[in-house]
Amino acid sequence: MPVDWKPFDGLQLGGSGKRIDPADGDRQRVTAEAILNDLQNQPGVVLADEVGMGKTYVALAVAASVIASTRGRGGPVVIMVPSRLRRKWQREWAQFKHHCTPARS
């Protein structure tokens, strides 16, 4: 049964505190939304493009959106990166992880 994964509210890409062209952030958001749409009909995707195009932010936004949509019960989210990028990804995750926890009333 497909899951209707939606981008989390306030999805803004382009890096935390980094100066990028707003068009780049918009492109990253559109890419993340397209991936979420594709994941409704297939079990995974490969995100690959030129260096510096924002793959990290797109992948982390997709992961956060999936976790938020399923409240963490939808199974694992797997992102494979070279080991030399592990710390970078852990730092960048900080701007997305708060979207994965449901608000408490």
Side-chain angles (χ1 to χ4, degrees), residues 2-74:
V3 176
D4 187 19
W5 291 319
K6 299 205 181 302
F8 56 78
D9 290 333
L11 177 61
Q12 294 182 341
L13 297 173
S16 174
K18 296 181 180 176
R19 293 183 187 185
I20 68 159
D21 188 297
D24 289 337
D26 290 343
R27 178 187 41 76
Q28 292 169 3
R29 182 187 45 76
V30 167
T31 301
E33 290 172 353
I35 289 171
L36 289 165
N37 186 52
D38 288 348
L39 286 172
Q40 292 180 27
N41 300 311
Q42 61 192 35
V45 298
V46 174
L47 175 60
D49 60 18
E50 297 176 32
V51 171
M53 297 300 289
K55 292 177 291 297
T56 298
Y57 304 115
V58 170
L60 290 173
V62 168
S65 295
V66 168
I67 293 167
S69 293
T70 62
R71 293 189 166 89
R73 293 173 285 159

Side-chain angles (χ1 to χ4, degrees), residues 75-87:
V77 173
V78 178
I79 299 174
M80 298 181 349
V81 298
S83 61
R84 69 184 180 277
L85 296 178
R86 182 177 52 88
R87 284 198 172 90

